[in-house]
Amino acid sequence: MKKIAVLTSGGDAPGMNAAIRAVVRQSIFNQVSVVGIRYGYQGLLEGDYLPLEVGSVGDIIHKGGTSLFTSRCPEFKTEQGQIHGMRRLQKNGIDGLVVIGGDGSFRGAQKLSRLGFPTVGIPATIDNDIVGTDFTIGFDTAVNTVIEAIDKVRDTATSLERIFVIEVMGRSKGDIALWAGLSAGAESILVPGVKPDMDAIVKRLIQGKQRHKKHSIIVVAEGVSSADQVAKAITEKSGLETRVTVLGHIQRGGSPSAADRLLGSRLGARAVDQLLAGKSGVMVGVKNNCLVDVPFEIAISENHELSISLYELAQSLAI
Ligand code: ADP
Ligand code: F6P
């Protein structure tokens, strides 16, 4: 393998730059040249390729977003697009590809590897919804961003003795809500897969008021409901006044945490090592702090499960 390409695809995530840097530096360390593909699969199809040197990835490890930019590319979902993409890579003398992204991006990567093009994936999405890895790049930073926001909301909630319903991202999964809700001391956390018990939530709020509790924070994963709907249901059931905060895309930005920089660096180097060892059709991940390889078909399965023990802990600590 003489030349490797790297791209970022789908939703950006803090720590993607650390992974790009590691792919580039680990390749050069192994005397392999490396090309950055800008704008994900769109750039792959259009030939938006950029030779990268050691210095090209200097000064990016601390930056959010992705220095290679990203995109959503419907054309790559077609077989014609995938074959065209593979030919384009081959014409540019590229022998292997590293795809940094989420499950959608891995579906594209899986197609390329099935066509016979050596392809390895690195999980990067704030949602932490990839099977076979304990963490995805960007999740830790997003959780920290949410905690910081909730801490701020709590200041005003306490001052006015208010109830806040805070909506967080996560697509159809609840890891951001659960980890951030628990870490921020939320009274209730609503996550996909656990039927919301509005009566219990309201009862807890009323009991809190009776105990002269000064604030209440309810965290809602976007995959369950909107914060507006939850707030409305609370007011209808109890007459209690609520306020709503939808955190939105601030959760995807910002300087990556130490954990995400470390994960990006470890997985970036591992992806190159695996390509050089002749592997393809796998995502590199981390399990119990050890690096692992996971076939794409497992990584993209819908089986990512929420930690029930963490959910129960959040419930018992919020009494
Ligand atoms: P993420 O990787 O963050 O989950 P998306 O789901 O938006 O993001 O997917 C990113 C890109 O991956 C898509 O725009 C498309 O180019 C490619 N992709 C998604 N699904 C498939 C698929 N089934 N086959 C081939 N490529 C796909
Ligand atoms: O997958 C990352 C994510 O931020 C999800 O949490 C969210 O539902 C989605 O992307 C938002 O997508 P967009 O940036 O296209 O609005």
Side-chain angles (χ1 to χ4, degrees):
M1 195 157 289
K2 297 247 172 2
K3 200 195 267 189
I4 285 176
V6 56
L7 62 80
T8 50
S9 166
D12 55 288
M16 277 183 161
N17 282 327
I20 295 168
R21 173 179 178 272
V23 169
V24 171
R25 300 253 166 117
Q26 185 77 352
S27 299
I28 295 171
F29 183 79
N30 284 286
Q31 281 90 47
V32 172
S33 59
V34 57
V35 165
I37 299 178
R38 301 191 331 147
Y39 299 102
Y41 292 123
Q42 195 65 46
L44 188 155
L45 293 176
E46 290 170 2
D48 196 348
Y49 302 174
L50 196 75
L52 297 174
E53 305 297 337
V54 171
S56 318
V57 288
D59 204 25
I60 64 169
I61 197 167
H62 60 298
K63 290 183 179 150
T66 160
S67 56
L68 285 176
F69 305 98
T70 182
S71 69
R72 295 204 163 99
C73 173
E75 194 187 338
F76 203 73
K77 290 188 178 177
T78 65
E79 197 181 353
Q80 205 188 3
Q82 293 147 17
I83 292 169
H84 171 55
M86 183 176 72
R87 296 215 173 112
R88 193 113 209 191
L89 290 167
Q90 288 167 336
K91 261 194 202 148
N92 281 271
I94 293 164
D95 308 304
L97 175 68
V98 177
V99 171
I100 306 172
D103 61 333
S105 304
F106 290 168
R107 282 174 219 281
Q110 183 187 38
K111 303 280 170 51
L112 277 177
S113 74
R114 283 189 175 158
L115 285 172
F117 196 85
T119 308
V120 168
I122 297 179
T125 161
I126 62 165
D127 302 334
N128 206 38
D129 58 351
I130 307 287
V131 178
T133 185
D134 288 338
F135 297 108
T136 57
I137 295 168
F139 172 64
D140 184 73
T141 307
V143 168
N144 278 295
T145 301
V146 173
I147 291 169
E148 201 185 327
I150 295 178
D151 290 348
K152 287 180 177 161
V153 167
R154 188 197 282 265
D155 288 344
T156 174
T158 305
S159 305
L160 282 153
E161 300 194 7
R162 273 177 168 162
I163 299 165
F164 269 82
V165 183
I166 301 179
E167 183 182 314
V168 301
M169 281 185 167
R171 224 177 268 260
S172 63
K173 297 290 187 275
D175 278 37
I176 296 178
L178 177 56
W179 286 63
L182 177 54
S183 310
E187 274 63 36
S188 295
I189 305 170
L190 279 67
V191 287
V194 183
K195 199 170 179 295
D197 183 346
M198 291 312 295
D199 290 332
I201 290 169
V202 165
K203 192 171 157 203
R204 187 175 283 171
L205 290 173
I206 292 169
Q207 282 170 346
K209 290 268 173 210
Q210 285 163 351
R211 284 191 286 124
H212 306 292
K213 208 168 190 295
K214 297 228 176 294
H215 62 262
S216 284
I217 304 285
I218 296 162
V219 176
V220 184
E222 64 176 348
V224 175
S225 180
S226 72
D228 272 327
Q229 280 171 329
V230 173
K232 203 166 152 238
I234 290 171
T235 305
E236 275 170 11
K237 277 184 184 291
S238 65
L240 289 168
E241 195 186 345
T242 56
R243 288 289 184 276
V244 162
T245 303
V246 179
L247 294 181
H249 285 79
I250 64 159
Q251 293 164 94
R252 280 233 300 261
S255 179
S257 65
D260 280 329
R261 295 180 197 198
L262 199 65
L263 187 61
S265 302
R266 289 175 83 193
L267 296 184
R270 170 87 173 192
V272 171
D273 291 346
Q274 296 312 88
L275 271 180
L276 297 185
K279 290 223 176 158
S280 178
V282 294
M283 165 196 89
V284 293
V286 64
K287 272 268 165 196
N288 300 321
N289 205 25
C290 293
L291 298 183
V292 292
D293 307 320
V294 184
F296 280 137
E297 52 268 32
I298 292 176
I300 62 179
S301 61
E302 293 291 317
N303 302 331
H304 172 77
E305 279 174 14
L306 197 80
S307 165
I308 291 301
S309 60
L310 270 193
Y311 183 78
E312 286 170 355
L313 177 64
Q315 288 277 95
S316 57
L317 297 187
I319 46 169

